[in-house]
Amino acid sequence: MQSIKINTAEGASLLIMGGTIDDIRDKLPASGLFLITDTNVKRLYGSVFPPATVLEIEPGEKSKTLEVAGDLCRQLLEAGADRSSFILGFGGGVVCDVAGMVASIYMRGVRHAFVSTTLLSQVDASIGGKTGVNLGTFKNIIGTFSQPEFVLCDHRMIATLPEEELQSGIGELVKHGAIGDRNLFFDITASMGRIYDRDPVVLGDLITRAVKIKAAVVRRDPLEKGPRRVLNFGHTFGHVLETFYMIPHGVAVARGMIIAAGLSVWKGEMPYSELRMLEVAIAESGMESDYDLPADVINLISRDKKSEKGSVNFVLLRSVGKTIIRRIPLKELGAFVDYYRERRDRSQSV
Ligand code: GLY
């Protein structure tokens, strides 16, 4: 087990990597605990839940709505939760996003923490204090920054993860190597078989190294005023693909990373050989990644959180492991999209 601390002016978070439920029992209140989970997680892990009032949501992205968050607040009120209550989000990315948001708005904020059960949430979603729900097809448009007091990542829980969700987590794992650690990137690609075997030791090592990258970024910029934007690598196009094709988040981010790396080459920031390396790594990870961009992609990006006044702060690569942020006018991005779609069509017709 390894602990990583994120201390920020807005709050501190302890990340317990490789621990078990027994490692958090003394961090939970003796009473006033409200546990938010989904029906799948409750079926799998309900027997190890600590004593708590349990509130359930439906699994999946469809639960990331203001209505679900509002309904949870109503249930908390009816169950007698007050300002001294403690919310434990127990689940994957959707549970952590929604439970974190509810904890940050219920009675203007109550204490909260997570038990993170999926690869995607252990490597990204439960870490760093972002909470959020979607508005129609627009991802995470409503949300808050609120650091969980602690996050437990028990890597053995990944054993029960369906393959599609494992692949989603692999996308975010690869992202951390691509933005911050070339050796991690190579180790992830070399360990794909062990990842699919859900080997908790290999997963623990790779996840912990990825989380250290994320923790360092969040410490510098907890509210995403600048440097934290690097964590959005692959997300500008990825979010469009995720909602358009209704595919898992990390799978969409994987394709988004390839397109963003293509843009990096197009803008002369990165050699083509680095793009190929990323393409090969993602192909070898076994996930489907050949999604075309929808025709109105620029219109959709213009309403993304990352767009400001007709431009988007875009995370590009200089090489695998090294990022650069450029402000790109939507018009220029449109020219790249035309080039990208034409090139994809041509390569498909040969
Ligand atoms: N998932 C991106 C971030 O936490 O900033």
Side-chain angles (χ1 to χ4, degrees):
M1 188 174 96
Q2 234 189 93
S3 296
I4 301 168
K5 275 198 183 132
I6 301 181
N7 286 320
T8 72
E10 288 74 30
S13 194
L14 178 70
L15 316 176
I16 307 162
M17 310 304 296
T20 72
I21 196 85
D22 290 330
D23 296 309
I24 61 161
R25 292 201 195 274
D26 65 346
K27 299 186 190 320
L28 296 170
S31 62
L33 181 64
F34 291 80
L35 188 151
I36 298 179
T37 190
D38 71 30
T39 46
N40 282 344
V41 175
K42 187 178 171 205
R43 182 172 36 81
L44 289 165
Y45 298 111
S47 60
V48 299
F49 284 175
T53 302
V54 177
L55 310 181
E56 283 173 61
I57 60 174
E58 287 301 311
E61 197 69 18
K62 62 181 177 299
S63 285
K64 275 186 64 168
T65 63
L66 265 181
E67 289 71 28
V68 169
D71 191 50
L72 285 167
C73 289
R74 186 186 52 72
Q75 290 183 55
L76 285 169
L77 194 61
E78 284 170 6
D82 61 24
R83 278 199 161 149
S84 69
S85 299
F86 192 110
I87 291 179
L88 183 67
F90 200 124
V94 170
V95 165
C96 293
D97 283 355
V98 177
M101 170 140 159
V102 166
S104 71
I105 58 175
Y106 183 71
M107 295 196 175
R108 298 208 172 90
V110 296
R111 297 172 63 196
H112 75 289
F114 299 132
V115 175
S116 178
T117 58
T118 65
L119 179 55
L120 182 85
S121 67
Q122 292 191 5
V123 87
D124 187 43
S126 67
I127 313 286
K130 274 189 183 175
T131 82
V133 295
N134 306 329
L135 200 54
T137 56
F138 294 96
K139 295 268 305 163
N140 301 326
I141 285 293
I142 299 162
T144 57
F145 287 98
S146 180
Q147 294 293 340
E149 285 186 19
F150 64 83
V151 181
L152 168 67
C153 296
D154 180 345
H155 311 306
R156 289 170 318 168
M157 287 180 168
I158 293 169
T160 54
L161 211 56
E163 186 157 298
E164 199 184 48
E165 283 191 44
L166 185 78
Q167 290 179 339
S168 184
I170 292 172
E172 283 286 353
L173 195 56
V174 170
K175 181 197 81 180
H176 284 87
I179 62 168
D181 185 343
R182 200 172 171 87
N183 288 333
L184 174 62
F185 175 85
F186 289 133
D187 289 347
I188 294 165
T189 46
S191 308
M192 222 35 97
R194 308 304 301 157
I195 294 173
Y196 272 91
D197 289 344
R198 290 137 167 99
D199 180 326
V201 176
V202 171
L203 281 167
D205 172 58
L206 299 174
I207 295 169
T208 303
R209 287 162 66 190
V211 165
K212 281 182 180 166
I213 294 171
K214 176 158 186 177
V217 173
V218 173
R219 271 184 218 112
R220 277 181 70 203
D221 181 20
L223 304 182
E224 199 173 303
K225 301 281 185 217
R228 185 169 178 163
R229 289 180 185 142
V230 298
L231 298 174
N232 296 328
F233 176 55
H235 283 60
T236 304
F237 289 116
H239 276 166
V240 170
L241 297 172
E242 184 177 349
T243 37
F244 190 78
Y245 292 103
M246 294 201 289
I247 51 176
H249 175 73
V251 174
V253 166
R255 184 66 193 173
M257 287 193 288
I258 292 175
I259 302 172
L263 177 60
S264 311
V265 174
W266 188 74
K267 284 190 68 68
E269 299 285 0
M270 182 173 83
Y272 177 73
S273 53
E274 298 286 302
L275 163 64
R276 273 307 293 154
M277 212 156 70
L278 188 66
E279 280 178 336
V280 169
I282 288 169
E284 286 181 354
S285 77
M287 71 180 98
E288 170 62 50
S289 70
D290 189 22
Y291 297 99
D292 195 9
L293 289 168
D296 63 341
V297 57
I298 296 299
N299 178 33
L300 296 170
I301 287 175
S302 71
R303 282 177 277 166
D304 187 279
K305 296 189 296 309
K306 294 178 276 301
S307 289
E308 284 168 28
K309 298 188 185 120
S311 297
V312 57
N313 287 309
F314 212 101
V315 187
L316 302 174
L317 292 184
R318 300 303 300 268
S319 61
V320 168
K322 206 155 179 247
T323 55
I324 182 166
I325 297 176
R326 289 273 187 253
R327 211 167 159 71
I328 302 183
L330 290 172
K331 226 175 162 175
E332 186 182 349
L333 208 54
F336 166 72
V337 167
D338 291 344
Y339 158 82
Y340 170 84
R341 296 185 80 218
E342 206 177 291
R343 191 169 161 265
R344 185 181 174 279
D345 285 350
R346 250 187 290 128
S347 69
Q348 295 239 314
S349 60
V350 285

